[in-house]
Amino acid sequence: MHEMSEFEVEKTRAKAFTEVFTSQGRGRPSQSVKVMAPEELVESEYYQCLQQARYEDLSSIESEDIIVNGGVDANEFPIIMIFGYKIPDTKYHDLLYMYYIQMMDKIVEKSYVLMYFHAGVSLLSNTEVNFIRSTFQKLPKKYWTNLSNFLIINPNAMLKSYLFVIAVSYTHLTLPTIYSV
């Protein structure tokens, strides 16, 4: 079984959304329902999750200092730091995602820098990379529009291999520059 590309995932989401809102089982969307494009579907899911984050108790995630504001760079862009070794088990990823978007929602309106520290992460652990990948797939376009730099600090061989596959697989996308220090 091959892993679906980002485009295939979005296409599948849009198709499923259309099938749910068909009229009288005839396979045609009703005239009163607007079928969302994949980008709109991501935006819709994002804003629903952001709304839910306002009512969720995220203090346990915040106290772990997994995602922190690291000040500003020379251009006065905010620096957001993510520490891979602190990313919890997958059962807490939804809470961590909610905390991330709640923290970042205002920041991404202007240019910013994202730093991911991979030091201390086990070579055999995929939890951190899976969280980063799934989070980035759920983020709306505004997160990429103003991302000035994305720095990856101390990547291990597994992460470097993963980055190589992404670079080869997504040559048609305009991705932010990724630095491997």
Side-chain angles (χ1 to χ4, degrees):
M1 185 175 163
H2 76 74
E3 196 169 308
M4 291 178 25
S5 72
E6 184 178 341
F7 174 76
E8 290 171 319
V9 169
E10 290 179 2
K11 186 176 172 183
T12 304
R13 281 184 183 168
K15 183 179 178 187
F17 184 82
T18 303
E19 289 172 359
V20 169
F21 291 97
T22 55
S23 63
Q24 293 110 18
R26 302 178 99 180
R28 283 182 257 149
S30 79
Q31 293 179 337
S32 63
V33 175
K34 178 181 182 269
V35 177
M36 293 183 181
E39 301 84 26
E40 292 173 321
L41 191 56
V42 168
E43 291 267 338
S44 173
E45 291 172 358
Y46 169 81
Y47 285 110
Q48 287 175 357
C49 194
L50 185 61
Q51 187 69 20
Q52 182 182 352
R54 291 188 176 120
Y55 299 104
E56 196 76 37
D57 179 17
L58 302 172
S59 58
S60 61
I61 297 292
E62 184 177 11
S63 67
E64 294 293 322
D65 288 334
I66 301 163
I67 304 168
V68 297
N69 191 330
V72 295
D73 69 359
N75 297 318
E76 298 294 317
F77 299 155
I79 300 171
I80 303 303
M81 302 185 305
I82 303 173
F83 296 95
Y85 75 95
K86 292 184 176 186
I87 293 176
D89 292 336
T90 54
K91 65 182 179 179
Y92 297 107
H93 284 187
D94 288 340
L95 288 175
L96 186 56
Y97 173 71
M98 281 190 263
Y99 176 73
Y100 179 75
I101 64 172
Q102 185 180 43
M103 176 184 185
M104 296 294 292
D105 190 56
K106 298 285 187 249
I107 293 172
V108 298
E109 299 298 326
K110 297 180 181 175
S111 293
Y112 69 101
V113 176
L114 188 60
M115 296 178 75
Y116 171 69
F117 293 85
H118 200 67
V121 173
S122 168
L123 183 60
L124 302 175
S125 176
N126 282 338
T127 302
E128 301 79 12
V129 173
N130 288 339
F131 170 73
I132 300 289
R133 181 178 45 105
S134 68
T135 296
F136 284 5
Q137 288 174 344
K138 294 187 245 179
L139 295 175
K141 192 174 184 176
K142 71 179 185 176
Y143 277 77
W144 305 111
T145 304
N146 292 322
L147 179 58
S148 173
N149 280 314
F150 180 22
L151 299 130
I152 299 176
I153 313 298
N154 296 326
N156 60 21
M158 181 73 82
L159 183 58
K160 286 180 184 179
S161 299
Y162 182 72
L163 292 173
F164 176 75
V165 169
I166 289 174
V168 170
S169 301
Y170 294 101
T171 55
H172 64 285
L173 297 176
T174 305
L175 296 174
T177 304
I178 298 175
Y179 295 98
S180 178
V181 181

